[in-house]
Amino acid sequence: MLTLAFDTATEVATSALVDEGEVLGERVSSTRTLLEDVDALLRQGGARPGDLRALAVGIGPGSFTGVRIGLAAARGLALALDLRGAGVSTLDALAAGAPGAVPVVDARRREVFTLVDGEPAVLAPADIDVREGTLYVGGGDRRYRAELEARGALIPPDGDERHLPCARFHAALARELVPVDEIEPLYLRAPDAKERAR
Amino acid sequence: MILGIETSCDETAAALVTAGGDIRASVVSSQADLHARYGGVVPEVASRRHLELVAPVVRDALSEAGATLDDVDTVAVTQGPGLIGALLVGLAAAKAIAWSRRLPLVPVDHLRGHVASLYLGPDALEPPFLCLLASGGHTMLLDVRGYGEEAVLGTTLDDAAGEAFDKGARLLGLGYPGGRELDLLARDGDPTAYAFPVARVPGLDFSFSGLKTALLYATRDLSEDELAARRADLAASYQRAIVRALVARVREAAGGKRTAVVGGVAANSELRASLPDAALAPLALCTDNAAMIASAARFTEAVPYPAYLGLDAYASR
Ligand SMILES: [Zn+2]
């Protein structure tokens, strides 16, 4: 089953074309040019859009705008190609790419997205329950490297590929396929807006 | 047919328009209710809603037209100006649809889209003409020389006309967006009861922020009962001041040319009555919609596959 996977929730856009577990291609670019990558992946794989059978799309948490661009593209593809898909947490994909590691994604405003007991959460770096000798990956750990390392965290060097989600893992984690319109973003934060007293 | 998609502010819209300018379907899902409790459009709230609505409005447009994507030969989408996060949702979806079908994509300027609302339907207007574009986000005088050929003669230095209406409505306790309510209320009031000044700015530009301040001063010392008693007069006087400013500029700039009004403020009854000779888009096409975006695409060069895949949106011109 030819599956297109991508995730634009973090600082990069990752995309992969996977067929029955075999990775036919994988690319990294920016969110704006996600579909250029998708186009290149299909051309390299000798496939046409109509050959796609499923989507695996990152739902965050991460940049709100980034998450939406990925999901909007997925919804457009699903509508035009009559595809179903699976939403995959960006944190789960990071964890799948670095077994044993805890994913930590920068959430701005001095906070990070991470997994707490397997559940996605947004919290201050100081509130991460750092287990000494445990590996932390995902970019958010890099930003707060000094703070986390002082508490015993192991953090790969900045350029280590484990810091970035890889779409092949989204494809691997995509299990149940649903209508793509039902795949919801994982924001973890309410919009910044005050209700006006009337 | 052209599939148009518009997500620049707080309306999620899709439309199908023929090459000849016939509207086969125009679906607009307004978020106004969603933003009412915030007293204005909250960009993050708008962007979230666009993502939920973008595929459903396209599907609704197709079914309203009794068409499928097989009938679509071009995809058009608003590229800017507008809320960047909102624009990016529509652009990503439009790129994906176009790419899936190997269709060309037309990135459309939202303001040019408003002008192109006049090129739709049986009573389509032909350039040249002078166009007032007045909405919640923009107030501009455009010299429309040809299809897709517009020169900006004047623009607002501060608030947009529609914004002035909405802010005035809020000061009068009419909720958000209150332009329409203010228009209705003004019908019961005396437009000469208050002399609200409209700033004279050089050239053909506009300024409405002083007017809003004048209304604030006029209302803030009134008790609730007094305000209730004078609300209609205030609304009528305030509306007259805005409309007079708009009409004066249109007359100055027209110089005998035909005139047209587009944008949400074109729905205002006093403005319509004050410019009896102006061409006006149907009300449904005055506020943001995707038919006007598809219409503008008829006069804009399409970007072929795969050149459009890297296109970006822009927040301002
Ligand atoms: Zn508009």
Side-chain angles (χ1 to χ4, degrees), chain A residues 32 35-36 38-39 49 64-65 68-69 72-73 75-77 79-81 181 187 189 191 193-196, chain B residues 37-39 42 44 47-48 51 55 59 69 88-89 93 95-97 99-102 170 305 309-310 312:
Chain A
R32 182 174 60 86
L35 283 163
E36 286 185 305
V38 167
D39 187 55
F64 294 163
T65 297
R68 275 193 289 270
I69 288 173
R75 286 172 193 204
L77 294 170
L79 188 149
L81 299 168
D181 280 3
Y187 290 121
R189 261 196 203 131
K194 249 197 234 122
E195 294 200 17
R196 184 172 286 275
Chain B
R37 64 187 134 133
Y38 303 110
V42 181
E44 176 61 21
S47 300
R48 289 186 181 194
L51 177 63
R59 280 201 190 89
L69 281 178
L88 286 168
V89 171
K95 277 187 199 175
I97 292 170
W99 176 83
S100 297
R101 299 272 169 158
R102 292 291 187 266
R170 185 193 295 160
Y305 162 84
L309 295 175
D312 210 351

Side-chain angles (χ1 to χ4, degrees), chain B residues 16-37:
Chain B
L16 289 160
V17 170
T18 64
D22 290 329
I23 303 174
R24 289 294 160 81
S26 180
V27 176
V28 179
S29 184
S30 174
Q31 307 178 4
D33 294 349
L34 188 65
H35 297 281
R37 64 187 134 133

Side-chain angles (χ1 to χ4, degrees), chain A residues 104-127:
Chain A
V104 180
V105 169
D106 186 10
R108 310 275 167 94
R109 296 188 217 161
R110 299 275 321 154
E111 289 186 317
V112 293
F113 298 119
T114 186
L115 291 174
V116 177
D117 300 328
E119 292 296 319
V122 57
L123 39 83
D127 294 332

Side-chain angles (χ1 to χ4, degrees), chain B residues 26-290:
Chain B
S26 180
V27 176
V28 179
S29 184
S30 174
Q31 307 178 4
D33 294 349
L34 188 65
H35 297 281
R37 64 187 134 133
Y38 303 110
V41 177
V42 181
E44 176 61 21
V45 172
S47 300
R48 289 186 181 194
R49 195 80 180 124
H50 283 306
L51 177 63
E52 291 166 17
L53 293 173
V54 68
V57 294
V58 172
R59 280 201 190 89
D60 285 357
L62 287 168
S63 79
E64 195 179 302
T68 69
L69 281 178
D70 292 339
D71 302 312
V72 172
D73 49 37
T74 305
V75 179
V77 65
T78 310
Q79 188 182 17
L83 303 171
I84 192 72
L87 289 161
L88 286 168
V89 171
L91 183 61
K95 277 187 199 175
I97 292 170
W99 176 83
S100 297
R101 299 272 169 158
R102 292 291 187 266
L103 298 175
L105 185 81
V106 185
V108 174
D109 182 276
H110 181 82
L111 307 179
R112 190 165 272 182
H114 274 296
V115 175
S117 66
L118 296 162
Y119 304 149
L120 288 164
D123 306 316
L125 191 66
E126 275 177 46
F129 55 90
L130 177 90
C131 186
L132 170 68
L133 160 57
S135 70
H138 305 280
T139 303
M140 280 185 174
L141 266 180
L142 300 163
D143 179 17
V144 182
R145 293 164 187 163
Y147 292 108
E149 247 183 276
E150 300 94 5
V152 179
L153 302 176
T155 185
T156 181
L157 303 176
D158 37 61
D159 293 349
E163 202 179 352
F165 272 112
D166 286 340
K167 286 179 175 175
R170 185 193 295 160
L171 288 172
L172 295 174
L174 297 173
Y176 171 89
R180 219 175 69 86
E181 280 66 32
L182 194 146
D183 187 0
L184 290 173
L185 180 63
R187 290 173 201 183
D188 300 326
D190 174 4
T192 61
Y194 291 85
F196 288 125
V198 174
R200 292 290 304 177
V201 290
L204 290 167
D205 288 335
F206 303 87
S207 167
F208 294 107
S209 66
L211 179 61
K212 176 194 63 196
T213 309
L215 180 64
L216 173 68
Y217 288 155
T219 55
R220 68 173 177 187
D221 296 328
L222 298 179
S223 71
E224 221 161 278
D225 287 354
E226 286 170 323
L227 181 62
R230 316 206 64 173
R231 205 193 314 251
D233 288 346
L234 286 161
S237 305
Y238 184 76
Q239 170 165 293
R240 171 141 307 177
I242 297 176
V243 168
R244 283 212 165 147
L246 294 172
V247 170
R249 283 299 195 233
V250 169
R251 295 247 158 86
E252 271 174 80
K257 245 186 259 165
R258 278 182 306 167
T259 55
V261 186
V262 295
V265 178
N268 181 270
S269 63
E270 186 164 350
L271 181 64
R272 293 176 93 92
S274 305
L275 290 170
D277 300 329
L280 298 160
L283 287 181
L285 297 176
C286 287
T287 46
D288 288 351
N289 63 86

